[in-house]
Amino acid sequence: MPIDPYIVLLLGTVGLAALFPAHGTGATVASGASTAAIAFLFFLYGARLSTREALDGLRHWRLHVTVLACTFVVFPALGLAARATVPVLLTQPLYQGLLFLTLVPSTIQSSIAFTSIARGNVPAAICAGSFSSLVGIVVTPLLAAGLLGSGGGGFSADSLVKIVLQLLVPFLAGQVLRRWIGAFITRHKKVLGLVDRGSILLVVYTAFSEGMIQGIWHQVSPARLGALLAVEAAVLAVMLVGTWYGGRALGFGREDRIAIQFAGSKKSLASGLPMASVLFGAHASLAVLPLMLFHQMQLMVCAVIAKRRAHDPGADADAADGSAGAEDDGAGGAEASGATGGEEPGTAGPQAGGDAEKSAAHPVQGQPQNRVLR
């Protein structure tokens, strides 16, 4: 089972914030830097998205609509149902974080990589993850406004304005400027990937520094954390089973069902953390804790499922009928997205398309099974 080293870095950042939280002027500087980092992140996300290739993926619209429904309808419904666990299992702040987790977009990189390992429809996973991330920039704040409301850990209508200014405007600016800077971003994707990771670490440090000042760890006991993990495991199990058998009920073939299962059952840490910081402000620390735990859980469980799917009866026959070509087209997206170091919205663009020819011709056999997936 993969243990994501980035999760270790995130936990280390939480520990750093616990020992040395930002105070006074330092807190002001950290907050300003975090705001600028979030805006730059979404500028890069917009610059990476190839609008033409994303539109080409609409040909498989039934699959994408299914994934979007899982991400933004079924997941939030489960989050609302989890309200019954308060206060027996979860505290209200932890529940708000759990509900927020169900509202964020799907992953891109790990969905692609797991779909490739399982011999599924990789190009569909690339497009589905990208569509989910793109739609989530608008839908996630709207869902948060409707479902979390003013009592959602500090969320207010002003957060929508912050979302527009800090997330949507930079994203659109990246899209507009992509014509001139897209090639530069593609050439320097590894360096910019480090910027992605560093920006998110800064967001986490700022959020948990504020949480420490407010006494966050007095609100979370080991028993509550255990209960949170149990509830998240139940949510993940329902989504994994529902996406697999629901895909069959809707008439999708094996390869498409694999893409639906992996793209429709996961949540993006890289998209969720910056959004939580903007939406929740000083209360973001408890809001992101459930997402961080769910992220690692989904990687571990989906790694096992993907390896077993690769040995399903008929998997070799499906691959012989044409999935090899799909894997050649899509595996580059997984490799390229891995190089950027995050689950960025819009990585179905130059990375998914242009780098496909540079990747291994047989991603299922050639891709390391213990590769770090985020």
Coordinates of all heavy atoms in Angstrom, one line a residue, residues 2 110-120 240 244 254 258 261-262 266 298-312 315 364 367 369 373:
P2 N 0.6 2.2 -0.9 CA 1.4 3.4 -1.0 C 1.2 4.4 0.2 O 0.1 4.7 0.6 CB 1.0 4.1 -2.3 CG -0.5 3.7 -2.4 CD -0.5 2.3 -1.8
S110 N -3.9 10.5 -9.5 CA -4.1 9.1 -9.0 C -5.2 8.4 -9.7 O -5.1 7.2 -9.9 CB -4.3 9.2 -7.4 OG -5.5 10.0 -7.1
S111 N -6.2 9.1 -10.1 CA -7.3 8.5 -10.9 C -6.7 7.9 -12.2 O -7.1 6.8 -12.6 CB -8.4 9.5 -11.2 OG -9.0 9.9 -10.1
I112 N -5.9 8.7 -12.9 CA -5.3 8.2 -14.1 C -4.4 7.0 -13.9 O -4.4 6.0 -14.5 CB -4.4 9.4 -14.7 CG1 -5.4 10.5 -15.1 CG2 -3.7 8.9 -16.0 CD1 -4.6 11.8 -15.5
A113 N -3.5 7.1 -12.8 CA -2.5 6.1 -12.6 C -3.2 4.8 -12.2 O -2.9 3.7 -12.7 CB -1.6 6.5 -11.5
F114 N -4.2 4.8 -11.3 CA -4.9 3.6 -10.9 C -5.7 3.0 -12.0 O -5.8 1.8 -12.2 CB -5.9 3.9 -9.7 CG -5.2 4.1 -8.4 CD1 -5.5 5.2 -7.5 CD2 -4.1 3.3 -8.0 CE1 -4.9 5.4 -6.3 CE2 -3.5 3.5 -6.8 CZ -3.8 4.5 -6.0
T115 N -6.3 3.9 -12.9 CA -7.1 3.4 -14.0 C -6.1 2.7 -15.0 O -6.5 1.6 -15.5 CB -7.8 4.5 -14.8 OG1 -8.7 5.2 -13.9 CG2 -8.5 4.0 -16.0
S116 N -4.9 3.2 -15.1 CA -3.9 2.5 -16.0 C -3.5 1.2 -15.4 O -3.4 0.2 -16.1 CB -2.7 3.5 -16.1 OG -1.7 2.8 -16.9
I117 N -3.2 1.1 -14.1 CA -2.8 -0.1 -13.5 C -3.9 -1.2 -13.7 O -3.6 -2.3 -13.9 CB -2.5 0.1 -12.0 CG1 -1.3 1.0 -11.8 CG2 -2.3 -1.2 -11.3 CD1 -1.0 1.4 -10.4
A118 N -5.2 -0.7 -13.5 CA -6.3 -1.7 -13.6 C -6.7 -2.0 -15.0 O -7.7 -2.8 -15.2 CB -7.5 -1.1 -12.8
R119 N -6.0 -1.4 -16.0 CA -6.3 -1.6 -17.4 C -7.7 -1.1 -17.8 O -8.5 -1.8 -18.4 CB -6.2 -3.1 -17.8 CG -4.8 -3.7 -17.5 CD -4.7 -5.1 -18.0 NE -3.4 -5.7 -17.6 CZ -2.9 -6.8 -18.0 NH1 -3.6 -7.5 -18.9 NH2 -1.7 -7.3 -17.6
G120 N -8.0 0.1 -17.4 CA -9.2 0.7 -17.7 C -9.1 1.8 -18.8 O -8.0 1.8 -19.5
L240 N -17.0 3.4 -3.5 CA -16.3 2.4 -4.4 C -17.3 1.4 -4.9 O -17.3 1.0 -6.1 CB -15.2 1.8 -3.6 CG -13.9 2.7 -3.3 CD1 -13.0 2.0 -2.3 CD2 -13.2 2.9 -4.6
W244 N -18.8 1.2 -8.9 CA -18.6 0.0 -9.7 C -19.9 -0.7 -10.2 O -20.1 -0.9 -11.4 CB -17.8 -1.0 -8.9 CG -17.4 -2.3 -9.6 CD1 -17.9 -3.5 -9.4 CD2 -16.5 -2.4 -10.7 NE1 -17.4 -4.4 -10.3 CE2 -16.5 -3.8 -11.1 CE3 -15.7 -1.5 -11.4 CZ2 -15.7 -4.2 -12.2 CZ3 -14.9 -2.0 -12.5 CH2 -14.9 -3.3 -12.8
R254 N -16.4 -2.7 -19.0 CA -15.4 -2.8 -17.9 C -14.4 -1.7 -17.8 O -14.2 -1.1 -16.7 CB -14.6 -4.2 -18.1 CG -13.5 -4.4 -17.0 CD -12.7 -5.5 -17.3 NE -11.5 -5.6 -16.4 CZ -10.4 -4.9 -16.6 NH1 -10.3 -4.1 -17.6 NH2 -9.5 -5.0 -15.6
I258 N -14.1 1.1 -14.7 CA -12.9 1.3 -13.9 C -12.6 2.8 -13.8 O -12.3 3.3 -12.7 CB -11.7 0.5 -14.6 CG1 -11.8 -1.0 -14.3 CG2 -10.4 1.0 -14.0 CD1 -10.8 -1.8 -15.1
Q261 N -15.0 4.3 -11.4 CA -14.8 3.9 -10.0 C -13.7 4.8 -9.4 O -13.8 5.3 -8.3 CB -14.4 2.5 -9.9 CG -14.2 2.0 -8.4 CD -14.0 0.5 -8.3 OE1 -13.2 0.0 -9.0 NE2 -14.8 -0.1 -7.4
F262 N -12.6 4.9 -10.2 CA -11.4 5.6 -9.6 C -11.6 7.2 -9.7 O -11.1 7.9 -8.8 CB -10.1 5.2 -10.3 CG -9.7 3.8 -9.9 CD1 -9.5 2.8 -10.9 CD2 -9.6 3.4 -8.6 CE1 -9.2 1.5 -10.6 CE2 -9.3 2.1 -8.3 CZ -9.0 1.2 -9.3
K266 N -12.9 9.5 -5.4 CA -11.8 10.1 -4.7 C -12.0 11.7 -4.7 O -12.8 12.2 -5.4 CB -10.5 9.8 -5.4 CG -10.2 8.3 -5.2 CD -8.7 8.0 -5.4 CE -8.2 8.3 -6.8 NZ -9.0 7.4 -7.8
Q298 N -7.8 6.8 0.7 CA -8.2 6.5 -0.7 C -7.1 5.9 -1.5 O -7.3 5.0 -2.3 CB -8.9 7.7 -1.4 CG -7.9 8.8 -1.7 CD -8.6 10.0 -2.3 OE1 -9.8 10.2 -2.2 NE2 -7.8 11.0 -2.8
L299 N -5.9 6.4 -1.3 CA -4.7 5.9 -2.0 C -4.4 4.5 -1.6 O -4.2 3.6 -2.5 CB -3.5 6.8 -1.7 CG -3.4 8.2 -2.2 CD1 -2.1 8.8 -1.9 CD2 -3.7 8.2 -3.7
M300 N -4.5 4.2 -0.3 CA -4.2 2.8 0.1 C -5.2 1.8 -0.4 O -4.9 0.7 -0.9 CB -4.1 2.8 1.7 CG -3.0 3.7 2.2 SD -3.0 3.8 4.0 CE -2.5 2.2 4.5
V301 N -6.5 2.2 -0.3 CA -7.5 1.2 -0.7 C -7.6 1.1 -2.2 O -7.6 -0.1 -2.7 CB -8.9 1.7 -0.1 CG1 -10.0 0.8 -0.7 CG2 -8.9 1.7 1.4
C302 N -7.5 2.2 -2.9 CA -7.5 2.1 -4.4 C -6.3 1.4 -5.0 O -6.4 0.8 -6.0 CB -7.7 3.5 -5.0 SG -9.3 4.2 -4.7
A303 N -5.2 1.5 -4.3 CA -4.0 0.7 -4.8 C -4.3 -0.8 -4.8 O -3.9 -1.5 -5.8 CB -2.8 1.1 -3.9
V304 N -4.9 -1.3 -3.7 CA -5.2 -2.7 -3.7 C -6.2 -3.1 -4.7 O -6.1 -4.1 -5.5 CB -5.7 -3.1 -2.3 CG1 -6.2 -4.5 -2.2 CG2 -4.6 -2.8 -1.2
I305 N -7.3 -2.2 -4.9 CA -8.3 -2.5 -5.9 C -7.8 -2.5 -7.3 O -8.1 -3.4 -8.1 CB -9.5 -1.5 -5.7 CG1 -10.2 -1.7 -4.4 CG2 -10.5 -1.7 -6.9 CD1 -11.3 -0.7 -4.1
A306 N -6.9 -1.5 -7.6 CA -6.4 -1.4 -8.9 C -5.6 -2.7 -9.3 O -5.7 -3.2 -10.4 CB -5.5 -0.2 -9.1
K307 N -4.7 -3.1 -8.4 CA -3.9 -4.3 -8.7 C -4.8 -5.6 -8.9 O -4.5 -6.4 -9.7 CB -2.9 -4.5 -7.6 CG -1.9 -3.5 -7.5 CD -0.9 -3.6 -6.3 CE 0.1 -2.5 -6.2 NZ 0.9 -2.6 -5.0
R308 N -5.9 -5.6 -8.1 CA -6.8 -6.8 -8.3 C -7.6 -6.7 -9.6 O -7.8 -7.7 -10.3 CB -7.7 -6.9 -7.1 CG -7.0 -7.3 -5.8 CD -8.0 -7.6 -4.7 NE -7.2 -8.0 -3.5 CZ -7.8 -8.4 -2.4 NH1 -9.1 -8.4 -2.3 NH2 -7.1 -8.8 -1.4
R309 N -8.0 -5.4 -10.0 CA -8.7 -5.2 -11.2 C -7.8 -5.7 -12.4 O -8.4 -6.1 -13.5 CB -9.1 -3.8 -11.4 CG -10.2 -3.4 -10.5 CD -11.6 -3.6 -11.1 NE -12.6 -3.2 -10.1 CZ -13.3 -4.0 -9.3 NH1 -13.0 -5.3 -9.3 NH2 -14.2 -3.6 -8.5
A310 N -6.5 -5.5 -12.3 CA -5.6 -5.8 -13.4 C -5.7 -7.3 -13.7 O -5.3 -7.7 -14.8 CB -4.2 -5.4 -13.1
H311 N -6.1 -8.1 -12.7 CA -6.1 -9.6 -12.9 C -7.5 -10.1 -13.0 O -7.8 -11.3 -12.9 CB -5.4 -10.2 -11.7 CG -4.0 -9.8 -11.6 ND1 -3.0 -10.2 -12.5 CD2 -3.3 -9.0 -10.7 CE1 -1.8 -9.7 -12.1 NE2 -2.0 -9.0 -11.0
D312 N -8.5 -9.2 -13.3 CA -9.9 -9.6 -13.5 C -10.0 -10.6 -14.7 O -9.2 -10.4 -15.7 CB -10.8 -8.5 -13.7 CG -11.1 -7.7 -12.4 OD1 -10.8 -8.2 -11.4 OD2 -11.7 -6.6 -12.5
A315 N -9.6 -9.2 -18.4 CA -8.8 -8.0 -18.5 C -7.9 -8.1 -19.7 O -7.7 -7.1 -20.4 CB -8.1 -7.8 -17.2
V364 N 0.9 -0.4 -17.7 CA 0.5 -1.4 -16.6 C 1.7 -2.2 -16.2 O 2.0 -2.4 -15.0 CB -0.6 -2.3 -17.1 CG1 -0.9 -3.3 -16.1 CG2 -1.8 -1.5 -17.5
Q367 N 4.9 0.8 -15.3 CA 4.7 1.8 -14.2 C 5.0 1.1 -12.9 O 4.4 0.1 -12.5 CB 3.3 2.3 -14.3 CG 3.1 3.4 -13.2 CD 1.7 4.0 -13.4 OE1 1.3 4.4 -14.5 NE2 0.9 4.1 -12.3
Q369 N 4.7 0.0 -9.3 CA 3.4 -0.2 -8.5 C 3.4 0.6 -7.2 O 2.4 0.8 -6.7 CB 3.3 -1.7 -8.2 CG 3.1 -2.6 -9.5 CD 1.9 -2.2 -10.3 OE1 0.8 -2.3 -9.7 NE2 2.1 -1.8 -11.5
L373 N 1.6 8.5 -5.3 CA 0.4 9.0 -6.0 C -0.3 10.0 -5.1 O -0.5 9.8 -4.0 CB -0.6 7.8 -6.2 CG 0.0 6.6 -7.0 CD1 -1.1 5.5 -7.0 CD2 0.4 7.0 -8.4

